[in-house]
Amino acid sequence: MPVRPAEAPNEFSRIVTPDRLGGPKVVESLVASPEERAAVARRLGILAVDRLAAEVTVKNLGAGQFRVEGTWQAEVQQACVVTLEPVADSLSGRLEASFEAREARGAGSEVVVDPEAADPAESLPAEGLDLGELVVQELAVALDPYPRAPGAEVPAEYRPPERDEDKGPFAALRALKGDK
């Protein structure tokens, strides 16, 4: 059973407690309430989150290993970087993460990091896995850092000056090089 938002440590918490992780898998459908969506929008510094939902599966791989996989969808509104008008966007993505119970790895055991391999498993938090927080983190990464309304143009006085190839510190070198 999900944690109530009033008790939740994050804006959109859906915690799968350790006692629920004992079976082969846990499947959760997550849908953010209007209050949670407003809190997520404030946290991410955007105008609105009109929809936030996910389908997530936590697989127990045995030996204290857990794999989180799923998909998420969001409808957001961000401020245009030129006009500040609302820019609506539909986002979706895949969610993948690995977790490991602390006692699964012996104390003082060596951790080998392979730069070519997948990310190593994170430690399983004592309170359980917060699937909602994982979804919010994925949404944060997927947001357009420079949303622009259709047709929005930067005013001429704020555009960088046109580059004149015949001027500048390397103009003399270009002239010596010729058209080669």
Side-chain angles (χ1 to χ4, degrees), residues 8-32:
N10 297 306
E11 301 84 1
F12 179 50
S13 282
R14 297 296 188 274
I15 297 177
V16 177
T17 56
D19 61 318
R20 293 185 57 212
L21 295 173
K25 70 179 178 178
V26 175
V27 179
E28 292 283 325
S29 292
L30 315 176
V31 179

Side-chain angles (χ1 to χ4, degrees), residues 109-131:
S109 65
E110 187 173 319
V111 176
V112 178
V113 177
D114 180 1
E116 301 295 321
D119 289 339
E122 295 181 40
S123 292
L124 180 67
E127 66 275 4
L129 295 175
D130 190 345
L131 302 180

Side-chain angles (χ1 to χ4, degrees), residues 4-157:
R4 286 191 207 147
E7 302 168 6
N10 297 306
E11 301 84 1
F12 179 50
S13 282
R14 297 296 188 274
I15 297 177
V16 177
T17 56
D19 61 318
R20 293 185 57 212
L21 295 173
K25 70 179 178 178
V26 175
V27 179
E28 292 283 325
S29 292
L30 315 176
V31 179
S33 71
E35 296 81 16
E36 291 169 326
R37 293 192 318 261
V40 169
R42 280 191 302 276
R43 173 180 169 188
L44 299 179
I46 62 176
L47 299 177
V49 176
D50 297 322
R51 179 173 177 269
L52 182 57
E55 295 291 326
V56 183
T57 301
V58 181
K59 295 178 184 174
N60 184 342
L61 305 176
Q65 301 285 320
F66 301 93
R67 181 80 179 151
V68 178
E69 296 176 338
T71 58
W72 61 270
Q73 306 83 34
E75 302 288 330
V76 300
Q77 293 184 44
Q78 295 178 264
C80 172
V81 295
V82 177
T83 65
L84 300 180
E85 293 175 31
V87 177
D89 200 0
S90 292
L91 302 168
S92 62
R94 290 213 33 85
L95 169 67
E96 297 179 358
S98 296
F99 291 88
E100 175 179 52
R102 291 175 203 191
E103 61 272 359
R105 188 175 2 148
S109 65
E110 187 173 319
V111 176
V112 178
V113 177
D114 180 1
E116 301 295 321
D119 289 339
E122 295 181 40
S123 292
L124 180 67
E127 66 275 4
L129 295 175
D130 190 345
L131 302 180
E133 177 61 16
L134 292 174
V135 171
V136 171
Q137 290 174 9
E138 290 292 323
L139 171 60
V141 172
L143 289 173
D144 183 351
Y146 303 105
R148 190 177 271 201
E153 293 284 330
V154 175
E157 62 267 20

Side-chain angles (χ1 to χ4, degrees), residues 163-179:
R163 290 196 64 194
D164 187 357
E165 294 296 323
D166 295 331
K167 295 180 182 175
F170 297 105
L173 292 174
R174 270 193 296 280
L176 290 173
K177 184 177 176 187
D179 291 334

